[in-house]
Amino acid sequence: MKRMIVILLRNPLSLLGLILVLLVLILAVFADFIAPFPDHRGAVIDFVHFNKPPTSRNIFGSDLVGRDLFSRVIYAYRISLILGVVVLAIATPVGTVVGLLAGYLGGKFEFVLMRLTDVFLSIPPLVLAIAMMGVLEPTLLNAMLAVTVMWWPWYARLVYNIARSEREEGYVLAAEVIGASTFHITFREILPNCLPAIITKMTLDMGFVIIIVSSLSFLGLGVQPPTPDLGSMVAEGARYLPDSWWLTVFPGLAILVAVFGFNLIGDALREIFGADQ
Amino acid sequence: MPPVFRLLLNRLGISFIVLVGVSMLIFGIARIIPGDPARIALGPNATVEQIDKLRETLHLNDSIFVQYGYFLSDLSRGDLGVSLYTNRPVTQDIAQFLPATLELVFFAGVMMVGIGLPLGIWSARYRGRWPDHVIRLLSLLGVSAPSFVWAVILMLVFAFYLPIFPIAGRISDSYEIQRFTGFLLIDTLLAGDFSAFSDALSHIILPAFALALSGIGQAARLTRANMVETYDKPYIEMAQAYGFKARRIANKFAFKPSLIPSLTIIGLDFAAMLGNAFLVEAVFAWPGLSRYGVAVILRKDLNAIIGTVLIISATFLIVNLIVDLMIAFLNPRIRYSERGST
Amino acid sequence: MSDVLKISDLYLRFRGYTGVTEVLHGISLNIRAGERVALVGESGSGKSVTARIVLGILQELRTAKVQGGLEFEGRDLNKLSASQWHDLRGTAMSIIFQDPTSSLNPVFTIETQFAEVLRRRDAKMSDAAANARAAELLNSVSIHDHERVLNSYPFQLSGGMNQRVVIAMALANEPSLLIADEPGTALDVTVQAQTLKLMHDLVEQSGTAVFFISHNLGVVREFADRVYVIYRGRIVEHGPTAAIFDNPSHAYTRALMAAVPRITGGGIPDIDDVDTAFLDPMVIHDGGAT
């Protein structure tokens, strides 16, 4: 574990990733203290300072009702990270359990569970999310729900692939011979072998969740105003291109920075653990 | 029966089952919504009788299984219902808008393969040296932002600040082109109108590139990873020991075996593009199925939603099928053995 | 008789994260035209890297530092330009690896791969000419079913068949030096024996010098004219085969010989893994050239 951290710190790219993610984390967690205008995350109107390009007062400029864009971006970071954590906190365990059972038990379990997973995986991710949000009320909670529902099959598929090949390995057969319970074999024996792949995927997924949620919000199907979301900010600002360029460029870059950070770390993890598709 | 055909039939069968599953999934989700679709469709001024009548017509009072039954029987006759948004049969809407999206996605797909694969090969061939580092960094950046961010940035730079490309739409209004295929690039050529062709081309480049960027990044990274693995194989060392030229080794001997594992993921990236088309079409006002899809979703137009999702899923499944066939064809092990293996 | 290959005081170092690792500490060996010379040692002794240094492919690794004299057919390899050295590969010197099936590219037919090899000598060779020549070569390795083999992919042929194909390819361009890196080790014993006999007959006919790398003493004894024994990057003993086997003088050589388990009783021999005596200076037998 410590060795892993040392390797991550030595590699310049993963170090950059760690810095970026740390930056995002600090901004998100301490938003209340860092944001120059904390109340601008809600519904505030300030017609004196509206639609202004970046200045020393509003370092990212101000939006169409006068809110400070920088503050809103920071709060949007907070929402994105919370969403990511919640989605993964639910989708990962559910998907892992499904994948483990399908991979180890085989037979009817495997067939049914994997066909179910196939159905979810056969729809392009964003399309499925959009379709689900299309039939639900567009609220933050529903967005979280939709994204979670569409996310777990990826973990199921990942864990299933590993479990299925591990099923034939010596240590599994040995445990079976001793008479270990299915629970023990799947969770105590096979699962640890899946952990590197799962952890790598979770890191990369943090970025991916941000992308999906911001995409949904961009289309108006995710987070609703006045709650700040990077995607909806870009959508609002897109109408005012190219004049009020800061309205779209800064939120867009904010997404890029956060996702890039997670991707850098995830890539480094993948190299450390060895490739596991 | 040759193994390839058997594979094809097998995959068609599975795809069909999956499509049925998808239809059930979407149908189920669509019918679970709170709120009354009939009332939403008719608007706030509808009377109770009108609403009830519409509910009868749409079979909304029946059990979900009966509703699904009606859905299937309609589907078998090619009837996807009527869109409450356009007041036309959904099939007609799809026929109008699908080609625009397909054209965009295919163009982006060509870019993805045409730019991404060579970048990946280059990257692997010079691994550890600066071209590799630059390509890897750029690829990672490419996949680190959603397509709408790239769309906006590209539009700002290449349509506004450097007005090289048009801002929106598929083709300038001044052109009237007869629709044969619905693909403007083809139709303009068929009509012999080259200025229209170049106009359509200039309209498609930015949106396709925005769409393709993350795919290019993915393809480059994936190709690089596979090729690096292949470079470690004994037969590549053998090729080097025989003095084959480095470029030939990169482009032929190392690339072909690496291509096969890459193809599956490329198929999936194509799927991602089908999804991202929603975002890009919105930014560039591209009159495609995705834009239609967003509109009907915001209006809770159930028939249209179901129809759109089905068509997109079917497209995705077909592309995956083609990709699988290509893999089977390229991988001699599958072509010649009874039991197909990946 | 002139030397086909002459290595003088060859050093090899690898630069890694943890510092520099020395793999070869100044080895010298030579091979005369038509001679069969074996380099024997355990895994990690440095024998495989030596082969790759001669070919020039090891030097392409950025972490590798090579120093020392390398002469091939009288030419100083260190003075050659990269492309001149490159031209020698596959034409004047060729190599056979351990596992024939994995040495062949799995997604191309034997025909295609043969043609590529033949085109190293004659870049404009037509497909028909290449196939004809390939058929001749396959004959020489006792493969008469030309069409089937040429149209096959490596995975469709047996290990023994692939081994013969690989030998045919290696000798296709009439090299002066054939390097054999543990040939046949991946095959089963009877096939390995046949392969070696085949190699023996072919190089006798063509007068190709063979640089034979192995850890298998039995094979070395059957095949080689002279033997160099390598331990941890140093040559510890060399001489004519008979002399080495009849009278192993260096402690390490003796340990190697003793390490072969005998079927006729005695069981698995009990030898020290490492002995300070292994670091004794080199023993040279008469008849071993400089």
Side-chain angles (χ1 to χ4, degrees), chain B residues 259-304:
Chain B
L259 185 60
I260 294 161
S262 305
L263 278 178
T264 321
I265 310 285
I266 289 178
L268 286 175
D269 281 336
F270 185 82
M273 282 204 285
L274 278 174
N276 286 325
F278 282 78
L279 307 170
V280 170
E281 287 188 12
V283 172
F284 284 97
W286 190 265
L289 193 64
S290 309
R291 204 151 161 254
Y292 172 75
V294 175
V296 300
I297 283 174
L298 289 171
R299 285 166 183 72
K300 306 260 177 274
D301 184 351
L302 292 174
N303 288 333

Side-chain angles (χ1 to χ4, degrees), chain C residues 11-12 23 43 47 51 65 118 131 141 156 178 196 199 214 225-226 235 286:
Chain C
Y11 282 85
L12 170 63
V23 177
S43 321
K47 43 191 213 302
K65 293 226 164 313
L118 289 169
N131 284 353
V141 292
Q156 292 173 301
L178 171 67
L196 289 164
M199 266 177 69
S214 184
D225 297 326
R226 275 190 303 126
I235 304 280
D286 291 330

